Amino acid sequence: MAAVRKPLIAGNWKMNNSHLEAIALTQKLGFALTDKDFAATEIAVLPPFTALRSVQTLIDGDKLRLLYGAQDVSPHEDGPYTGDVSARMLAKFGCRFVLAGHSERRIHHHEDDVLVNSKVRAVLQRNMTPVLCIGEPLEVRQAGEHLDYVLAQLDGGLAGLTAGQVGGLVVAYEPVWAIGTGQVATPADAQEVCRAIRGRISAVHGHPAGASTRILYGGSVKPDNMPAIMAEPDVDGALVGGASLDASEFVRICRYRERSTA
Ligand code: PGA
């Protein structure tokens, strides 16, 4: 079953890199990553909006196999939404992936599950792949309520979607307490939640959807902790923040198979 889910490793650059810096980083990745890397894993970068055009031009021009996408999207069609960027615009850029509901958006922009769900729908409508981000804050984990919390976010984010849509999208489990803190979840912690996510998708949307949805772990992923996380059966890849800003670190993460889990 796991064989049909090709691993996905996505670099979430967050609010880092001017378009010039983005070009430099993309060039380094294009130079370092090989056909062998891309045969084994889908690899994507998620630059800020202002760098997307430069990254697109470079990837197209040099025929790189790197995929790319955006970190956020408006739930609305084009129109009077100052400062927002529509799914239509991102699709025109050739974006494959769009994050929805990253915890930094939920925290700093008060995004709730209803809004996140409308973003997921906007992305699907333009034939891109949503990456629905979910994860519990520290106090929820300490109270032992993380599974209920994460599954409620999952239900909210996927509300009203067809089984086919759910089977084709990506869920990223990112415990808030592990993001940017250096405090990575243990492989067993990641597996516990990713397994519960897959079980819930199977229960609500049917087994084929549960078997094909890719579930990523995110939160302080580094070259050294990646192999053990990827050894877990329900983890299909990683959403990488800080370590994706350094080309050699990110490439080492993409080559997790070559590293021992010891
Ligand atoms: P981090 O961020 O790898 O820097 O912890 C992950 C994320 O927020 O996607």
Side-chain angles (χ1 to χ4, degrees):
M1 201 68 77
V4 301
R5 299 193 301 264
K6 188 170 183 178
L8 168 64
I9 299 174
N12 174 14
W13 294 358
K14 310 194 180 188
M15 197 174 71
N16 295 291
N17 289 331
S18 70
H19 74 289
L20 296 176
E21 291 158 343
I23 290 169
L25 179 51
T26 305
Q27 277 172 331
K28 283 184 198 163
L29 294 175
F31 185 73
L33 291 166
T34 65
D35 283 347
K36 188 177 163 210
D37 296 317
F38 289 112
T41 310
E42 280 189 1
I43 302 170
V45 293
L46 309 172
F49 291 136
T50 47
L52 268 175
R53 176 66 175 159
S54 305
V55 168
Q56 175 204 28
T57 304
L58 182 60
I59 288 177
D60 284 357
D62 287 0
K63 300 196 171 27
L64 304 181
R65 292 176 68 184
L66 206 51
L67 303 171
Y68 55 94
Q71 301 168 16
D72 186 35
V73 65
S74 169
H76 302 292
E77 296 284 328
D78 302 344
Y81 300 99
T82 303
D84 283 354
V85 172
S86 72
R88 187 181 70 86
M89 297 169 184
L90 296 176
K92 273 280 178 200
F93 268 151
C95 286
R96 173 76 68 87
F97 300 103
V98 183
L99 300 186
H102 189 281
S103 63
E104 287 155 10
R105 303 283 322 167
R106 294 179 190 260
I107 293 166
H108 302 305
H109 299 270
H110 312 293
E111 294 192 3
D112 62 13
D113 290 328
V114 172
L115 177 61
V116 172
N117 177 249
S118 62
K119 293 186 175 197
V120 168
R121 289 162 182 262
V123 173
L124 286 168
Q125 209 180 3
R126 294 290 170 178
N127 298 315
M128 298 177 290
T129 302
V131 179
L132 170 65
C133 302
I134 55 181
E136 80 287 356
L138 184 60
E139 58 277 14
V140 171
R141 159 108 1 204
Q142 284 170 337
E145 291 162 2
H146 49 286
L147 289 181
D148 285 348
Y149 185 97
V150 167
L151 294 180
Q153 285 184 323
L154 181 77
D155 291 344
L158 300 183
L161 303 190
T162 66
Q165 287 173 324
V166 174
L169 57 67
V170 178
V171 176
Y173 168 57
E174 298 200 300
V176 176
W177 46 270
I179 294 180
T181 59
Q183 198 189 335
V184 66
T186 65
D189 286 340
Q191 168 60 17
E192 179 198 30
V193 181
C194 292
R195 180 171 183 271
I197 291 170
R198 195 175 306 289
R200 180 68 138 243
I201 291 174
S202 294
V204 176
H205 302 278
H207 182 69
S212 65
T213 305
R214 286 186 291 182
I215 304 175
L216 313 184
Y217 168 78
S220 297
V221 170
K222 302 280 182 277
D224 289 348
N225 55 40
M226 181 72 172
I229 292 168
M230 287 304 290
E232 296 295 341
D234 287 298
V235 179
D236 304 316
L239 187 55
V240 185
S244 72
L245 298 174
D246 181 294
S248 65
E249 287 259 294
F250 190 59
V251 169
R252 285 169 68 212
I253 288 171
C254 294
R255 296 194 178 137
Y256 65 91
R257 289 182 186 77
E258 295 166 20
R259 302 171 67 79
S260 133
T261 56

